[in-house]
Amino acid sequence: MYLNFAVATVFLGLISMNAFGIEEDEEGKKRRHAAKLATVNQFEPVVDIHNSPVILEHPTVPVSTAKSIAKLKRLKSEGAARESTLRKWHAAHGRTYPERFAGD
């Protein structure tokens, strides 16, 4: 009988200690309240930037296919020239030029 009483007392003591540990203090409430104020409002109004007056005042001019292809060729030749310059610099300093992946 004393064993059952001792086990019950220990069990109730553990439950009360657990409840005491869960109890909040005033500083915890203040911190949690301040954190709630810093959260982002998910219901902010959506702004359509594509139809704003600033964008509609200055429409973009569509580029022709020939101009686009010419620009791509120019950029490709500039990239090749820059890569050859870097290869020469690495070779002059006795270093190996880092190889690029096939998709780069």
Side-chain angles (χ1 to χ4, degrees):
M1 180 170 158
Y2 290 115
L3 182 61
N4 289 343
F5 181 71
V7 170
T9 305
V10 169
F11 185 70
L12 289 175
L14 290 175
I15 290 175
S16 64
M17 286 174 56
N18 189 19
F20 181 73
I22 293 174
E23 189 176 309
E24 290 187 19
D25 57 343
E26 193 64 29
E27 291 179 20
K29 287 181 182 178
K30 288 180 182 177
R31 277 195 304 256
R32 193 172 70 247
H33 182 67
K36 283 183 182 178
L37 295 176
T39 58
V40 177
N41 184 4
Q42 296 179 354
F43 299 107
E44 292 178 355
V46 178
V47 178
D48 187 9
I49 62 168
H50 301 289
N51 292 326
S52 66
V54 175
I55 299 298
L56 294 177
E57 278 181 20
H58 305 286
T60 56
V61 178
V63 182
S64 67
T65 306
K67 285 183 180 179
S68 297
I69 291 173
K71 184 177 180 181
L72 284 174
K73 286 181 180 178
R74 182 180 54 83
L75 290 173
K76 189 174 182 179
S77 65
E78 287 176 4
R82 183 171 44 252
E83 186 173 343
S84 69
T85 304
L86 286 173
R87 284 187 185 275
K88 289 176 187 175
W89 183 88
H90 279 273
H93 288 85
R95 300 178 185 171
T96 57
Y97 185 75
E99 291 298 322
R100 299 172 66 184
F101 293 106
D104 283 351

XYZ file of all heavy atoms in Angstrom:
816
model
N 0.813 -1.178 0.000
C 0.000 0.000 0.000
C 0.866 1.255 0.000
O 0.550 2.216 -0.697
C -0.908 -0.016 1.216
C -1.772 1.189 1.260
S -2.984 0.954 2.506
C -3.387 2.609 2.796
N 1.921 1.237 0.788
C 2.805 2.399 0.792
C 3.495 2.569 -0.563
O 3.756 3.691 -0.992
C 3.857 2.275 1.899
C 3.278 2.415 3.279
C 3.287 1.354 4.169
C 2.707 3.610 3.684
C 2.751 1.477 5.435
C 2.174 3.740 4.946
C 2.187 2.682 5.824
O 1.650 2.815 7.055
N 3.757 1.453 -1.239
C 4.391 1.519 -2.550
C 3.463 2.185 -3.553
O 3.902 3.048 -4.339
C 4.769 0.115 -3.018
C 5.485 0.043 -4.372
C 6.808 0.806 -4.308
C 5.731 -1.396 -4.767
N 2.188 1.817 -3.528
C 1.224 2.450 -4.430
C 1.104 3.936 -4.131
O 0.999 4.761 -5.046
C -0.148 1.778 -4.298
C -0.154 0.389 -4.877
O 0.739 0.033 -5.644
N -1.140 -0.416 -4.493
N 1.087 4.313 -2.866
C 1.008 5.714 -2.476
C 2.245 6.487 -2.946
O 2.138 7.609 -3.443
C 0.844 5.827 -0.947
C 0.737 7.248 -0.474
C -0.403 7.991 -0.727
C 1.787 7.839 0.227
C -0.501 9.296 -0.291
C 1.694 9.135 0.658
C 0.552 9.883 0.404
N 3.412 5.876 -2.829
C 4.648 6.528 -3.257
C 4.671 6.709 -4.772
O 5.054 7.773 -5.290
C 5.852 5.706 -2.803
N 4.245 5.690 -5.516
C 4.215 5.789 -6.982
C 3.224 6.856 -7.414
O 3.498 7.663 -8.314
C 3.871 4.406 -7.604
C 3.593 4.539 -9.091
C 4.990 3.424 -7.353
N 2.053 6.916 -6.799
C 1.045 7.918 -7.144
C 1.550 9.319 -6.827
O 1.334 10.270 -7.587
C -0.251 7.634 -6.395
N 2.253 9.479 -5.713
C 2.793 10.785 -5.337
C 3.842 11.246 -6.335
O 3.850 12.407 -6.759
C 3.390 10.719 -3.922
O 2.399 10.237 -3.010
C 3.876 12.078 -3.475
N 4.710 10.339 -6.726
C 5.745 10.686 -7.711
C 5.095 11.043 -9.045
O 5.474 12.016 -9.699
C 6.755 9.521 -7.869
C 7.664 9.737 -9.068
C 7.568 9.363 -6.601
N 4.113 10.278 -9.453
C 3.432 10.533 -10.720
C 2.742 11.895 -10.709
O 2.866 12.676 -11.654
C 2.424 9.404 -10.978
C 1.752 9.501 -12.306
C 2.452 9.264 -13.479
C 0.410 9.835 -12.392
C 1.833 9.356 -14.707
C -0.217 9.934 -13.607
C 0.493 9.691 -14.774
N 2.020 12.205 -9.642
C 1.364 13.509 -9.537
C 2.383 14.642 -9.457
O 2.166 15.734 -9.981
C 0.429 13.537 -8.321
C -0.827 12.684 -8.449
C -1.605 12.687 -7.133
C -1.695 13.205 -9.575
N 3.498 14.383 -8.796
C 4.556 15.393 -8.724
C 5.134 15.694 -10.101
O 5.404 16.852 -10.446
N 5.331 14.655 -10.904
C 5.851 14.866 -12.260
C 4.866 15.647 -13.122
O 5.248 16.522 -13.894
C 6.184 13.519 -12.915
C 7.383 12.771 -12.345
C 7.517 11.414 -13.001
C 8.651 13.592 -12.542
N 3.582 15.339 -12.980
C 2.567 16.056 -13.760
C 2.532 17.522 -13.354
O 2.462 18.416 -14.201
C 1.183 15.390 -13.584
C 1.181 14.035 -14.286
C 0.081 16.272 -14.133
C -0.089 13.249 -14.080
N 2.592 17.803 -12.054
C 2.538 19.195 -11.604
C 3.794 19.951 -12.024
O 3.737 21.136 -12.365
C 2.340 19.265 -10.100
O 3.460 18.702 -9.440
N 4.954 19.266 -12.010
C 6.183 19.932 -12.463
C 6.103 20.237 -13.953
O 6.542 21.298 -14.415
C 7.402 19.050 -12.173
C 7.773 19.012 -10.692
S 9.090 17.854 -10.325
C 10.381 18.385 -11.388
N 5.518 19.330 -14.728
C 5.365 19.549 -16.156
C 4.432 20.731 -16.413
O 4.703 21.574 -17.261
C 4.814 18.281 -16.819
C 4.841 18.382 -18.328
O 5.559 19.195 -18.876
N 4.048 17.560 -18.974
N 3.326 20.808 -15.667
C 2.393 21.922 -15.829
C 3.056 23.232 -15.425
O 2.830 24.272 -16.048
C 1.140 21.683 -14.986
N 3.902 23.213 -14.423
C 4.598 24.427 -13.996
C 5.590 24.875 -15.072
O 5.777 26.063 -15.313
C 5.325 24.177 -12.669
C 6.042 25.383 -12.164
C 5.344 26.449 -11.635
C 7.424 25.455 -12.222
C 6.010 27.566 -11.164
C 8.097 26.563 -11.764
C 7.384 27.630 -11.227
N 6.223 23.920 -15.753
C 7.183 24.264 -16.803
C 6.508 24.833 -18.035
O 7.082 25.644 -18.755
N 5.261 24.439 -18.297
C 4.539 24.931 -19.467
C 3.997 26.331 -19.231
O 3.790 27.096 -20.155
C 3.402 23.947 -19.825
C 3.985 22.624 -20.305
C 2.476 24.520 -20.869
C 2.957 21.554 -20.546
N 3.787 26.686 -17.990
C 3.203 27.981 -17.654
C 4.052 29.120 -18.211
O 5.267 29.124 -18.122
C 3.111 28.094 -16.129
C 2.339 29.300 -15.663
C 2.207 29.279 -14.142
O 1.780 28.240 -13.619
O 2.549 30.287 -13.536
N 3.398 30.089 -18.831
C 4.103 31.189 -19.489
C 4.407 32.304 -18.506
O 3.670 32.549 -17.557
C 3.237 31.758 -20.605
C 3.086 30.842 -21.772
C 2.363 31.534 -22.909
O 2.322 32.765 -22.910
O 1.854 30.823 -23.766
N 5.465 32.987 -18.784
C 5.762 34.184 -18.016
C 5.410 35.406 -18.867
O 5.087 35.309 -20.045
C 7.237 34.210 -17.604
C 8.163 34.111 -18.796
O 7.702 33.715 -19.871
O 9.353 34.450 -18.647
N 5.468 36.565 -18.262
C 5.067 37.802 -18.942
C 6.000 38.138 -20.101
O 5.562 38.610 -21.156
C 5.046 38.953 -17.922
C 4.353 40.197 -18.423
C 2.871 39.987 -18.698
O 2.251 39.136 -18.033
O 2.350 40.668 -19.589
N 7.297 37.877 -19.939
C 8.252 38.182 -21.007
C 8.005 37.303 -22.230
O 8.122 37.751 -23.365
C 9.673 37.990 -20.507
C 10.097 39.019 -19.489
C 11.512 38.775 -19.000
O 12.265 38.083 -19.695
O 11.835 39.283 -17.918
N 7.657 36.061 -21.998
C 7.353 35.163 -23.114
C 6.145 35.640 -23.898
O 6.124 35.586 -25.129
N 5.140 36.130 -23.175
C 3.955 36.654 -23.853
C 4.310 37.882 -24.686
O 3.838 38.034 -25.810
C 2.882 37.015 -22.827
C 2.208 35.835 -22.202
C 1.141 36.298 -21.220
C 0.474 35.134 -20.535
N -0.523 35.571 -19.555
N 5.143 38.765 -24.127
C 5.535 39.963 -24.864
C 6.329 39.606 -26.121
O 6.117 40.188 -27.181
C 6.368 40.880 -23.974
C 5.567 41.577 -22.902
C 6.451 42.464 -22.064
C 5.662 43.128 -20.945
N 6.509 43.949 -20.078
N 7.259 38.655 -25.991
C 8.058 38.249 -27.161
C 7.174 37.647 -28.242
O 7.320 37.941 -29.421
C 9.125 37.250 -26.735
C 10.368 37.881 -26.171
C 11.495 36.875 -26.127
N 11.125 35.691 -25.372
C 11.537 35.418 -24.130
N 12.354 36.231 -23.517
N 11.142 34.330 -23.522
N 6.245 36.787 -27.845
C 5.381 36.159 -28.824
C 4.464 37.183 -29.481
O 4.221 37.151 -30.684
C 4.567 35.049 -28.169
C 3.900 34.165 -29.202
C 3.240 32.941 -28.624
N 2.057 33.305 -27.863
C 1.936 33.164 -26.549
N 2.916 32.665 -25.849
N 0.845 33.525 -25.932
N 3.997 38.146 -28.706
C 3.145 39.196 -29.255
C 3.933 40.060 -30.241
O 3.430 40.401 -31.310
C 2.567 40.053 -28.126
C 1.652 41.125 -28.611
N 0.432 40.847 -29.190
C 1.780 42.473 -28.638
C -0.148 41.983 -29.532
N 0.646 42.968 -29.206
N 5.173 40.381 -29.910
C 6.002 41.178 -30.813
C 6.307 40.394 -32.084
O 6.363 40.960 -33.175
C 7.300 41.574 -30.120
N 6.483 39.091 -31.986
C 6.753 38.273 -33.170
C 5.527 38.208 -34.069
O 5.643 38.191 -35.283
C 7.178 36.873 -32.759
N 4.355 38.195 -33.482
C 3.139 38.171 -34.290
C 2.992 39.456 -35.088
O 2.505 39.445 -36.202
C 1.911 37.974 -33.398
C 1.722 36.553 -32.925
C 0.456 36.445 -32.118
C 0.264 35.029 -31.596
N -0.931 34.913 -30.765
N 3.405 40.575 -34.527
C 3.290 41.840 -35.237
C 4.245 41.907 -36.422
O 4.000 42.638 -37.376
C 3.565 43.009 -34.291
C 2.567 43.189 -33.151
C 3.011 44.328 -32.248
C 1.179 43.447 -33.705
N 5.324 41.140 -36.397
C 6.315 41.203 -37.457
C 5.989 40.282 -38.624
O 6.686 40.299 -39.621
C 7.691 40.838 -36.893
N 4.937 39.483 -38.534
C 4.623 38.565 -39.621
C 4.063 39.332 -40.812
O 3.480 40.404 -40.670
C 3.607 37.503 -39.174
O 2.434 38.180 -38.708
C 4.187 36.632 -38.080
N 4.246 38.765 -41.987
C 3.808 39.409 -43.221
C 2.314 39.191 -43.406
O 1.811 38.091 -43.209
C 4.582 38.830 -44.418
C 4.098 39.431 -45.720
C 6.058 39.028 -44.234
N 1.641 40.243 -43.794
C 0.224 40.132 -44.064
C 0.045 39.429 -45.403
O 0.487 39.921 -46.436
C -0.409 41.523 -44.101
C -1.903 41.461 -44.289
O -2.488 40.380 -44.311
N -2.536 42.610 -44.432
N -0.606 38.275 -45.389
C -0.760 37.501 -46.614
C -1.873 38.038 -47.501
O -2.023 37.606 -48.637
C -1.017 36.039 -46.273
C 0.153 35.402 -45.577
C -0.125 33.957 -45.221
O -1.228 33.477 -45.407
N 0.877 33.279 -44.720
N -2.651 38.968 -47.001
C -3.767 39.495 -47.776
C -3.490 40.905 -48.262
O -4.384 41.729 -48.357
C -5.040 39.451 -46.931
C -5.403 38.066 -46.509
C -5.236 37.656 -45.203
C -5.877 37.149 -47.420
C -5.563 36.381 -44.813
C -6.198 35.868 -47.047
C -6.045 35.469 -45.742
N -2.225 41.181 -48.594
C -1.897 42.497 -49.127
C -2.514 42.642 -50.513
O -2.661 41.665 -51.245
C -0.381 42.658 -49.225
C 0.301 42.727 -47.890
C 1.812 42.845 -48.033
O 2.306 42.770 -49.168
O 2.473 43.008 -47.010
N -2.869 43.850 -50.893
C -3.459 44.017 -52.217
C -2.439 43.690 -53.306
O -1.268 44.034 -53.202
C -3.845 45.494 -52.255
C -3.039 46.134 -51.202
C -2.784 45.093 -50.153
N -2.903 43.024 -54.336
C -2.038 42.641 -55.442
C -1.936 43.815 -56.405
O -2.941 44.393 -56.811
C -2.599 41.402 -56.161
C -1.734 41.030 -57.345
C -2.712 40.251 -55.198
N -0.709 44.183 -56.766
C -0.490 45.290 -57.686
C -0.105 44.706 -59.035
O 0.829 43.926 -59.140
C 0.634 46.220 -57.162
C 0.897 47.332 -58.145
C 0.253 46.754 -55.802
N -0.814 45.085 -60.062
C -0.518 44.615 -61.406
C 0.468 45.587 -62.031
O 0.090 46.648 -62.533
C -1.799 44.525 -62.230
C -1.560 43.878 -63.576
O -0.451 43.344 -63.795
O -2.471 43.906 -64.412
N 1.755 45.246 -62.001
C 2.769 46.171 -62.504
C 2.763 46.242 -64.018
O 3.256 47.204 -64.599
C 4.182 45.781 -62.007
C 4.574 44.405 -62.521
C 4.265 45.846 -60.498
C 6.022 44.091 -62.330
N 2.186 45.250 -64.675
C 2.220 45.254 -66.129
C 1.242 46.245 -66.730
O 1.432 46.701 -67.857
C 1.935 43.847 -66.659
C 2.922 42.838 -66.151
N 4.222 42.815 -66.568
C 2.798 41.846 -65.249
C 4.867 41.837 -65.958
N 4.028 41.238 -65.138
N 0.193 46.568 -66.017
C -0.791 47.518 -66.528
C -0.740 48.845 -65.785
O -1.687 49.614 -65.842
C -2.203 46.928 -66.434
C -2.379 45.780 -67.386
O -1.813 45.785 -68.474
N -3.138 44.780 -66.987
N 0.373 49.123 -65.113
C 0.475 50.393 -64.398
C 0.729 51.511 -65.407
O 1.256 51.288 -66.497
C 1.594 50.341 -63.362
O 2.834 50.225 -64.013
N 0.374 52.746 -65.070
C 0.558 53.861 -66.009
C 2.013 54.081 -66.414
O 2.289 54.458 -67.551
C 0.020 55.075 -65.244
C -0.853 54.524 -64.185
C -0.333 53.164 -63.862
N 2.936 53.834 -65.496
C 4.343 54.047 -65.815
C 4.788 53.081 -66.915
O 5.514 53.459 -67.845
C 5.208 53.859 -64.544
C 6.678 53.950 -64.867
C 4.815 54.880 -63.497
N 4.355 51.849 -66.838
C 4.728 50.856 -67.846
C 4.017 51.135 -69.163
O 4.605 51.029 -70.245
C 4.407 49.431 -67.351
C 5.179 49.108 -66.079
C 4.692 48.397 -68.422
C 6.679 49.115 -66.228
N 2.757 51.508 -69.101
C 2.004 51.742 -70.334
C 2.471 52.992 -71.064
O 2.270 53.114 -72.273
C 0.513 51.831 -70.016
C -0.116 50.532 -69.509
C -1.569 50.747 -69.159
C 0.033 49.417 -70.531
N 3.098 53.941 -70.368
C 3.619 55.140 -71.029
C 4.778 54.816 -71.953
O 4.957 55.441 -72.980
C 4.104 56.150 -69.984
C 3.013 56.998 -69.399
C 3.571 57.983 -68.386
O 4.785 58.254 -68.414
O 2.789 58.472 -67.567
N 5.604 53.857 -71.571
C 6.808 53.526 -72.320
C 6.748 52.074 -72.780
O 7.409 51.212 -72.208
C 8.059 53.749 -71.456
C 8.135 55.123 -70.900
N 8.460 56.206 -71.658
C 7.908 55.592 -69.653
C 8.451 57.304 -70.905
N 8.119 56.953 -69.691
N 5.978 51.806 -73.823
C 5.905 50.417 -74.283
C 7.221 49.993 -74.939
O 7.934 50.813 -75.518
C 4.765 50.433 -75.294
C 4.707 51.838 -75.776
C 5.157 52.691 -74.611
N 7.519 48.728 -74.811
C 8.744 48.231 -75.415
C 8.524 47.995 -76.897
O 7.459 47.561 -77.325
C 9.183 46.920 -74.754
O 8.100 45.997 -74.852
C 9.545 47.138 -73.304
N 9.534 48.294 -77.654
C 9.447 48.121 -79.098
C 9.762 46.659 -79.424
O 10.796 46.144 -78.987
C 10.447 49.062 -79.799
C 10.405 48.857 -81.302
C 10.163 50.492 -79.414
N 8.901 45.986 -80.163
C 9.211 44.597 -80.501
C 10.438 44.526 -81.408
O 10.584 45.318 -82.336
C 7.951 44.101 -81.221
C 7.214 45.320 -81.633
C 7.614 46.411 -80.695
N 11.305 43.597 -81.145
C 12.538 43.451 -81.903
C 12.299 42.436 -83.018
O 11.688 41.399 -82.791
C 13.678 42.975 -80.973
C 14.982 42.866 -81.733
C 13.826 43.931 -79.812
N 12.814 42.739 -84.191
C 12.621 41.829 -85.311
C 13.501 40.593 -85.152
O 14.473 40.587 -84.392
C 12.939 42.529 -86.628
O 14.323 42.814 -86.688
N 13.182 39.566 -85.890
C 13.934 38.309 -85.822
C 15.364 38.512 -86.299
O 16.310 37.982 -85.703
C 13.237 37.236 -86.677
O 11.874 37.143 -86.258
C 13.902 35.890 -86.524
N 15.534 39.283 -87.368
C 16.880 39.500 -87.916
C 17.761 40.227 -86.894
O 18.938 39.889 -86.717
C 16.793 40.298 -89.210
N 17.184 41.230 -86.207
C 17.957 41.961 -85.196
C 18.322 41.044 -84.025
O 19.419 41.118 -83.487
C 17.168 43.164 -84.684
C 17.103 44.315 -85.650
C 16.367 45.483 -85.018
C 16.277 46.650 -85.964
N 15.539 47.784 -85.382
N 17.388 40.184 -83.640
C 17.656 39.265 -82.527
C 18.775 38.297 -82.884
O 19.679 38.056 -82.077
C 16.400 38.464 -82.181
O 15.373 39.308 -81.749
N 18.743 37.761 -84.090
C 19.783 36.822 -84.516
C 21.130 37.527 -84.623
O 22.163 36.986 -84.213
C 19.386 36.152 -85.851
C 18.191 35.227 -85.600
C 20.552 35.373 -86.448
C 17.590 34.632 -86.832
N 21.123 38.768 -85.145
C 22.369 39.526 -85.252
C 22.951 39.805 -83.864
O 24.167 39.699 -83.661
C 22.120 40.832 -85.993
N 22.088 40.137 -82.895
C 22.566 40.398 -81.536
C 23.133 39.128 -80.906
O 24.185 39.172 -80.245
C 21.423 40.940 -80.676
C 21.849 41.330 -79.291
C 20.712 41.935 -78.503
C 21.192 42.323 -77.108
N 20.104 42.897 -76.315
N 22.479 37.988 -81.124
C 22.990 36.727 -80.580
C 24.351 36.373 -81.175
O 25.255 35.930 -80.465
C 21.998 35.593 -80.837
C 20.762 35.571 -79.942
C 19.803 34.490 -80.403
C 21.149 35.357 -78.499
N 24.501 36.600 -82.475
C 25.790 36.320 -83.117
C 26.879 37.237 -82.572
O 28.009 36.812 -82.334
C 25.671 36.469 -84.632
C 24.920 35.336 -85.282
C 24.864 35.517 -86.791
C 24.106 34.371 -87.443
N 23.998 34.548 -88.899
N 26.528 38.524 -82.382
C 27.498 39.475 -81.826
C 27.917 39.076 -80.423
O 29.114 39.082 -80.087
C 26.896 40.886 -81.821
C 27.845 41.956 -81.295
C 27.202 43.333 -81.308
N 25.932 43.401 -80.605
C 25.796 43.550 -79.290
N 26.867 43.654 -78.524
N 24.613 43.613 -78.734
N 26.951 38.698 -79.593
C 27.270 38.283 -78.227
C 28.110 37.013 -78.212
O 29.021 36.862 -77.392
C 25.991 38.074 -77.421
C 25.200 39.341 -77.081
C 23.870 38.981 -76.426
C 26.011 40.245 -76.183
N 27.825 36.090 -79.138
C 28.601 34.852 -79.209
C 30.041 35.142 -79.610
O 30.989 34.584 -79.046
C 27.957 33.890 -80.198
C 28.564 32.516 -80.187
C 27.780 31.569 -81.079
C 28.368 30.180 -81.014
N 27.625 29.236 -81.826
N 30.234 36.049 -80.581
C 31.600 36.384 -80.998
C 32.348 37.118 -79.884
O 33.536 36.884 -79.660
C 31.585 37.214 -82.279
O 30.976 38.466 -82.041
N 31.653 38.005 -79.147
C 32.290 38.694 -78.013
C 32.690 37.686 -76.931
O 33.761 37.793 -76.336
C 31.350 39.739 -77.427
C 31.177 40.974 -78.278
C 30.159 41.940 -77.703
O 29.625 41.678 -76.587
O 29.893 42.956 -78.355
N 31.846 36.713 -76.671
C 32.159 35.693 -75.676
C 33.347 34.839 -76.092
O 34.205 34.504 -75.274
N 33.402 34.501 -77.383
C 34.530 33.708 -77.878
C 35.832 34.498 -77.769
O 36.880 33.953 -77.399
C 34.279 33.287 -79.316
N 35.778 35.810 -78.093
C 36.977 36.647 -77.985
C 37.423 36.753 -76.530
O 38.623 36.684 -76.221
C 36.691 38.031 -78.566
N 36.474 36.919 -75.609
C 36.809 37.020 -74.187
C 37.413 35.707 -73.688
O 38.406 35.699 -72.956
C 35.551 37.367 -73.385
C 35.800 37.566 -71.921
C 34.598 38.115 -71.160
N 33.326 37.491 -71.497
C 32.350 38.074 -72.208
N 32.503 39.288 -72.673
N 31.225 37.430 -72.469
N 36.870 34.582 -74.138
C 37.397 33.288 -73.711
C 38.804 33.060 -74.252
O 39.679 32.548 -73.543
C 36.473 32.157 -74.165
C 36.886 30.811 -73.628
C 35.876 29.720 -73.936
O 34.727 30.039 -74.280
O 36.255 28.543 -73.817
N 39.048 33.463 -75.500
C 40.403 33.278 -76.044
C 41.407 34.151 -75.299
O 42.546 33.728 -75.042
C 40.424 33.590 -77.543
O 40.225 34.974 -77.762
N 40.993 35.365 -74.910
C 41.872 36.234 -74.122
C 42.191 35.592 -72.769
O 43.344 35.599 -72.321
C 41.208 37.612 -73.908
O 40.885 38.166 -75.173
C 42.116 38.558 -73.152
N 41.190 35.031 -72.129
C 41.416 34.374 -70.842
C 42.308 33.147 -70.990
O 43.174 32.888 -70.146
C 40.078 33.977 -70.211
C 39.245 35.124 -69.628
C 37.874 34.630 -69.201
C 39.963 35.760 -68.464
N 42.108 32.386 -72.075
C 42.969 31.224 -72.311
C 44.423 31.653 -72.487
O 45.340 31.020 -71.958
C 42.496 30.449 -73.535
C 41.270 29.618 -73.284
C 40.964 28.753 -74.500
N 39.720 28.034 -74.301
C 39.617 26.881 -73.667
N 40.682 26.326 -73.164
N 38.458 26.283 -73.527
N 44.638 32.731 -73.224
C 46.006 33.236 -73.435
C 46.624 33.693 -72.113
O 47.795 33.441 -71.842
C 46.009 34.376 -74.448
C 45.727 33.938 -75.864
C 45.653 35.141 -76.793
C 45.201 34.737 -78.188
N 45.010 35.892 -79.065
N 45.844 34.367 -71.285
C 46.363 34.856 -70.004
C 46.760 33.676 -69.122
O 47.814 33.685 -68.500
C 45.310 35.712 -69.306
C 45.804 36.305 -68.026
C 46.466 37.479 -67.870
C 45.697 35.719 -66.716
N 46.768 37.677 -66.555
C 46.317 36.606 -65.814
C 45.158 34.546 -66.222
C 46.398 36.354 -64.452
C 45.231 34.298 -64.868
C 45.849 35.194 -64.004
N 45.889 32.660 -69.054
C 46.194 31.479 -68.247
C 47.444 30.773 -68.770
O 48.276 30.303 -67.988
C 45.005 30.518 -68.219
C 43.941 30.909 -67.234
N 43.963 30.544 -65.922
C 42.813 31.646 -67.371
C 42.909 31.026 -65.294
N 42.189 31.704 -66.167
N 47.563 30.657 -70.096
C 48.726 30.000 -70.682
C 49.998 30.789 -70.389
O 51.060 30.213 -70.127
C 48.536 29.842 -72.191
N 49.922 32.128 -70.410
C 51.089 32.960 -70.142
C 51.556 32.822 -68.694
O 52.748 32.976 -68.402
C 50.769 34.421 -70.452
N 50.641 32.543 -67.779
C 50.993 32.395 -66.367
C 51.223 30.938 -65.971
O 51.359 30.634 -64.779
C 49.911 33.022 -65.486
C 49.908 34.515 -65.542
N 49.250 35.226 -66.519
C 50.515 35.434 -64.761
C 49.423 36.508 -66.321
N 50.196 36.675 -65.260
N 51.228 30.038 -66.929
C 51.506 28.634 -66.646
C 50.376 27.903 -65.950
O 50.595 26.913 -65.265
N 49.182 28.379 -66.117
C 48.022 27.740 -65.485
C 47.174 27.081 -66.570
O 47.252 27.439 -67.739
C 47.171 28.770 -64.748
C 47.910 29.493 -63.650
C 47.005 30.508 -63.010
N 47.718 31.310 -62.028
C 47.207 32.372 -61.449
N 46.009 32.782 -61.762
N 47.915 33.037 -60.570
N 46.356 26.147 -66.151
C 45.424 25.534 -67.097
C 44.094 26.276 -67.009
O 43.604 26.604 -65.919
C 45.198 24.049 -66.779
O 44.718 23.938 -65.442
C 46.479 23.264 -66.946
N 43.528 26.552 -68.140
C 42.241 27.236 -68.185
C 41.150 26.264 -67.739
O 41.090 25.140 -68.220
C 41.965 27.735 -69.604
C 40.700 28.552 -69.722
C 40.654 29.850 -69.249
C 39.557 28.012 -70.290
C 39.504 30.605 -69.357
C 38.400 28.756 -70.402
C 38.381 30.051 -69.929
O 37.237 30.799 -70.031
N 40.287 26.668 -66.820
C 39.239 25.742 -66.361
C 38.266 25.430 -67.495
O 37.766 26.326 -68.153
C 38.550 26.500 -65.229
C 38.981 27.900 -65.332
C 40.235 27.942 -66.130
N 38.042 24.153 -67.715
C 37.155 23.732 -68.787
C 35.699 23.987 -68.384
O 35.326 23.856 -67.238
C 37.346 22.250 -69.095
C 38.683 21.954 -69.741
C 38.851 22.654 -71.072
O 37.876 22.759 -71.854
O 39.970 23.121 -71.345
N 34.923 24.339 -69.358
C 33.509 24.615 -69.133
C 32.689 23.381 -69.434
O 33.110 22.497 -70.163
C 33.062 25.763 -70.016
C 33.816 27.054 -69.731
C 33.497 28.103 -70.736
N 32.087 28.485 -70.607
C 31.494 29.349 -71.420
N 32.148 29.899 -72.406
N 30.231 29.650 -71.251
N 31.505 23.332 -68.860
C 30.599 22.246 -69.165
C 30.030 22.449 -70.558
O 30.020 23.569 -71.086
C 29.464 22.182 -68.147
C 29.915 21.797 -66.775
C 29.990 22.741 -65.768
C 30.270 20.495 -66.506
C 30.409 22.395 -64.502
C 30.691 20.131 -65.236
C 30.765 21.087 -64.247
N 29.514 21.405 -71.139
C 28.998 21.474 -72.506
C 27.820 22.434 -72.623
O 27.627 23.066 -73.640
C 28.595 20.082 -72.970
N 27.027 22.555 -71.552
C 25.854 23.422 -71.614
C 26.134 24.885 -71.350
O 25.271 25.729 -71.520
N 27.340 25.228 -70.931
C 27.662 26.624 -70.627
C 27.844 27.441 -71.874
O 28.300 27.023 -72.880
C 28.940 26.717 -69.792
C 28.652 26.356 -68.346
O 27.469 26.207 -68.005
O 29.611 26.234 -67.580
